[in-house]
Amino acid sequence: MSATATRKTVAVMLLIPAVVAFALWAFAWPAARIAPRELPIAIAGPPAATAPLEQRLAAHPDAFDVHRYEDVAAARAAIEDRTVYGAIVATPTGPELLTATAASPVVAGLLREAVATQLPAGTAPRVTDVVAAPAADPRGAVLAAGLLPLALAGAASGIAVTVLGLRGARAAAALTGAAVLAGLVGAALADSWLGAFAGSWWAEAGVLALTVLAVGSTLAGLAALLGRPGLGLGAVLMILLGNPFSGISSAPELLPAPVGVLGQWLPPGAAGTALRSVAYFDGAGAGSAVLVLAVWAVAGLAAVLAGARRAAALNGEAAARSALAPAV
């Protein structure tokens, strides 16, 4: 066996376990450390009645970001605007809990447990689900399970454009067209067929399409600028980091720092937030997430066009040197 073949064999033997270890860390570590970290919740009611509730919450430092409201109507509005995940309302008969399973079934369950510990044994808290998940998908499983296929679809489009040798405007058109069709198909499956989404059909399709475009254009753009290694870098960002750091199966505020924040700056995390907003909250809270997706998509397409211009310039220089070679 040649020295080159030996080096390649050893590289494969070392690389695969390293990739496995990295993937297990990225997916398993955040899941194993789920806990509230500055989780936005509301407390509503007269100050005298809410003071004991606030003191109990303060016993868990940095766990909750408490928003205070005068009455239950204001607390409900904050939930519907996606300012908070839920609210504890002080009433003469005891605390009442407002949740939003559409925002996060995990957080809704966590809040129910937290309130239950403040009540006498055997007493269940009164719970009102302000924004409930659709009856066809009460646990939000479709949204959580659909994020990885979206990222994979985007990655596949970026890889296909690169492997097929499409460049410049043709590559941008292929990426955009694939994303639009993927968004329409995704909305048809998740909303029209499964009934897992309950918002504006076209808004859902738009977010799905923008997600696929953000991922696909990033991979294709990195490949256009860095060559084939750019595909690997894009896959690491979008699949190995973006998906587990998204918080889609729980909530970004339940992930360890700085994973929760970082995940929202990557397309999969932004996609999860935007999809929840348009599917269940009439678009409330979607602005920043859509902006993140748009920035990645525009930057990726710009990189695709820049890479094509650079390749054309390099080919032109090579042709000029080849033409001058006989005269030298």
Side-chain angles (χ1 to χ4, degrees):
M1 183 180 292
S2 67
T4 300
T6 300
R7 286 195 296 270
K8 290 181 179 179
T9 301
V10 172
V12 170
M13 293 172 61
L14 296 177
L15 179 61
I16 298 304
V19 171
V20 170
F22 181 81
L24 286 175
W25 166 81
F27 280 84
W29 173 61
R33 296 292 185 269
I34 286 180
R37 296 172 175 85
E38 296 295 332
L39 183 71
I41 64 171
I43 288 183
T50 59
L53 296 174
E54 293 187 41
Q55 290 176 358
R56 296 189 187 101
L57 292 176
H60 306 279
D62 301 323
F64 300 102
D65 176 18
V66 179
H67 297 240
R68 297 164 183 82
Y69 298 97
E70 293 183 0
D71 52 37
V72 64
R76 292 178 69 98
I79 294 173
E80 293 168 350
D81 290 340
R82 300 209 69 188
T83 302
V84 297
Y85 281 92
I88 304 173
V89 182
T91 70
T93 58
E96 178 182 358
L97 177 63
L98 306 180
T99 63
T101 53
S104 171
V106 174
V107 171
L110 184 152
L111 292 177
R112 282 194 296 270
E113 293 175 4
V115 173
T117 60
Q118 310 302 321
L119 300 176
T123 303
R126 291 176 297 159
V127 180
T128 300
D129 200 349
V130 176
V131 185
D137 187 29
R139 296 178 179 83
V142 172
L143 180 61
L147 187 61
L148 181 57
L150 273 181
L152 292 176
S157 67
I159 292 171
V161 162
T162 303
V163 171
L164 294 175
L166 299 178
R167 294 180 179 176
R170 288 184 181 275
L175 290 166
T176 303
V180 169
L181 292 176
L184 295 175
V185 170
L189 292 174
D191 189 319
S192 303
W193 179 44
L194 295 175
F197 292 171
S200 165
W201 196 95
W202 291 105
E204 294 161 0
V207 171
L208 292 169
L210 187 56
T211 301
V212 173
L213 181 59
V215 175
S217 65
T218 297
L219 263 73
L222 288 172
L225 295 177
L226 304 177
R228 295 295 174 87
L231 293 176
L233 176 59
V236 168
L237 284 174
M238 302 300 160
I239 308 299
L240 291 184
L241 292 180
N243 194 68
F245 289 6
S246 67
I248 188 65
S249 60
S250 55
E253 294 85 358
L254 298 184
L255 300 181
V259 166
V261 175
L262 176 61
Q264 295 304 297
W265 287 100
L266 294 173
T273 298
L275 273 176
R276 283 195 189 279
S277 293
V278 300
Y280 310 127
F281 293 87
D282 294 327
S288 60
V290 171
L291 178 60
V292 169
L293 291 173
V295 168
W296 278 95
V298 170
L301 293 176
V304 168
L305 298 175
R309 287 194 296 269
R310 187 181 68 173
L314 292 175
N315 290 337
E317 292 176 2
R321 286 195 298 269
S322 177
L324 292 175
V328 175

